[in-house]
Amino acid sequence: MKLPVIRHLTQFIEDNDEDFVIETIETLENLTEVPSLKDEELDVIGELLSNMYGALEVHKMIKEGTPNKEALNNFMSRVTGSIDK
């Protein structure tokens, strides 16, 4: 996950609608079923998906009243905390 990408996607959701990201996630998840995809291609799709899911989570926190910067920092702290374990 990359914080600048999540930040950008979160701004996209705020400017537009989270449905665009949700539909993109569904499309990318469907693409992972293509049997001819190489591991590298699946890795790229997986990275895109994780950033989009992260942006949706940050957006949810912002909607619940958490300031933007705090929501981003809290999310990344949770992610890095789960990786360290």
Side-chain angles (χ1 to χ4, degrees):
M1 289 188 186
K2 300 208 181 271
L3 185 59
V5 175
I6 293 172
R7 185 182 303 119
H8 186 84
L9 287 168
T10 301
Q11 186 61 52
F12 176 84
I13 292 169
E14 290 176 19
D15 292 344
N16 297 282
D17 190 342
E18 66 185 31
D19 289 340
F20 287 108
V21 174
I22 292 169
E23 290 171 358
T24 302
I25 287 171
E26 291 170 355
T27 303
L28 290 172
E29 286 178 342
N30 183 272
L31 275 175
T32 63
E33 298 171 14
V34 174
S36 61
L37 283 179
K38 298 176 184 168
D39 288 342
E40 297 84 17
E41 294 166 328
L42 287 171
D43 289 344
V44 170
I45 292 172
E47 182 69 20
L48 290 168
L49 286 169
S50 67
N51 285 313
M52 288 181 193
Y53 276 117
L56 288 173
E57 184 66 28
V58 170
H59 178 68
K60 179 181 172 189
M61 286 188 268
I62 293 169
K63 279 183 15 183
E64 293 171 350
T66 306
N68 192 318
K69 185 175 182 177
E70 185 179 333
L72 285 162
N73 288 336
N74 290 346
F75 177 76
M76 290 309 289
S77 293
R78 278 197 344 239
V79 169
T80 55
S82 68
I83 293 171
D84 292 340
K85 291 182 180 182

